[in-house]
Amino acid sequence: MASLSAASRLCLRSAAKPAVPAVRALSSTAVQAAGAASYSSPFKGETTGSKIPNFGKYASKNSAAGNKLFSYFMVGSMGALTAAGAKSTVSEFLVNMSASADVLAMAKVEVDLNAIPEGKNVIIKWRGKPIFIRHRTESEIAEANKVDVASLRDPQNDDDRVQKPEWLIMVGVCTHLGCVPIGEAGDFGGWFCPCHGSHYDISGRIRKGPAPLNLEIPVYEFPEEGKLVIG
Ligand code: FES
């Protein structure tokens, strides 16, 4: 019984083996036949293996020179547009940062000199600082000019400190530590700073005390007779 059973198992195996390739072959043939009907390869030439797709239908029909010209034109145009945009942005930023009209108006101060009699001081405010305006007399001008400039701590001729000898215009801030000196005071008939005892002469030059420099001369002009513009 045992040998009969083994023989029947062997017989069954040998009968079953050829059936698988036959099914596989049938299956692949069916797929190929179906694919050939509905699929066309995107690759040039060979139908098998990895190849570069053919993009010929997307390629430009123009000449190489024409394509280059178009590329250069586009790059140049984009560059010009970008530069114009950047310039506009920077310009607007700078305009925003610049001083407004009311601030610019404060930058200059106009003074009517006809209202200041000879031998008198006037103090005005300009950009937050006091400005001394002295209408000097003939004797004060002569006194300012007779000083030996070489003996001064900050040597400066009177002529170099004034545009018109009769008008002395200075920033009224002591060059020591920034106090405001008092006019018509001190040992030299000019200005005296009470903070630490600096004496300035009738030309605003330091003559005595700790201040190192003469009183500063601001930017000013006489646009017409009897008119002073500071700033
Ligand atoms: S601040 Fe004028 S003398 Fe010191």
Side-chain angles (χ1 to χ4, degrees), residues 11-215:
C11 194
L12 279 171
R13 270 197 204 120
S14 61
K17 266 183 189 170
V20 174
V23 170
R24 277 191 192 142
L26 180 64
S27 165
S28 93
T29 308
V31 169
Q32 277 175 0
S38 63
Y39 175 73
S40 71
S41 172
F43 304 113
K44 276 187 197 170
E46 303 273 342
T47 55
T48 58
S50 297
K51 296 292 180 187
I52 298 171
N54 180 9
F55 293 115
K57 68 176 179 178
Y58 302 110
S60 171
K61 305 290 183 293
N62 300 327
S63 65
N67 287 339
K68 274 186 190 171
L69 185 65
F70 179 73
S71 299
Y72 294 154
F73 171 74
M74 289 305 290
V75 169
S77 304
M78 289 301 121
L81 282 175
T82 306
K87 178 183 170 288
S88 167
T89 305
V90 170
S91 301
E92 294 218 355
F93 178 73
L94 291 179
V95 165
N96 277 340
M97 294 292 288
S98 62
S100 56
D102 57 331
V103 172
L104 286 177
M106 290 281 292
K108 286 182 183 278
V109 173
E110 192 174 298
V111 181
D112 179 13
L113 296 176
N114 296 320
I116 306 174
E118 194 177 77
K120 291 293 178 191
N121 282 340
V122 163
I123 302 176
I124 62 160
K125 195 173 162 187
W126 172 68
R127 295 183 185 173
K129 296 176 188 170
I131 297 292
F132 294 163
I133 302 171
R134 173 80 183 176
H135 191 171
R136 298 193 300 188
T137 62
E138 284 297 328
S139 63
E140 288 171 344
I141 296 168
E143 186 187 333
N145 280 311
K146 77 178 183 196
V147 174
D148 177 14
V149 174
S151 67
L152 298 175
R153 182 180 301 165
D154 183 11
Q156 207 173 15
N157 281 313
D158 184 62
D159 288 351
D160 297 333
R161 294 178 55 77
V162 293
Q163 292 183 23
K164 292 184 177 180
E166 65 271 32
W167 293 108
L168 176 63
I169 292 107
M170 304 181 294
V171 177
V173 176
C174 180
T175 58
H176 181 219
L177 291 176
C179 289
V180 177
I182 299 164
E184 298 176 357
D187 295 352
F188 298 88
W191 287 262
F192 172 66
C193 180
C195 292
H196 310 94
S198 289
H199 298 249
Y200 298 89
D201 67 14
I202 196 61
S203 187
R205 296 171 294 199
I206 182 65
R207 301 293 292 274
K208 190 172 154 189
L213 298 170
N214 302 333
L215 290 177

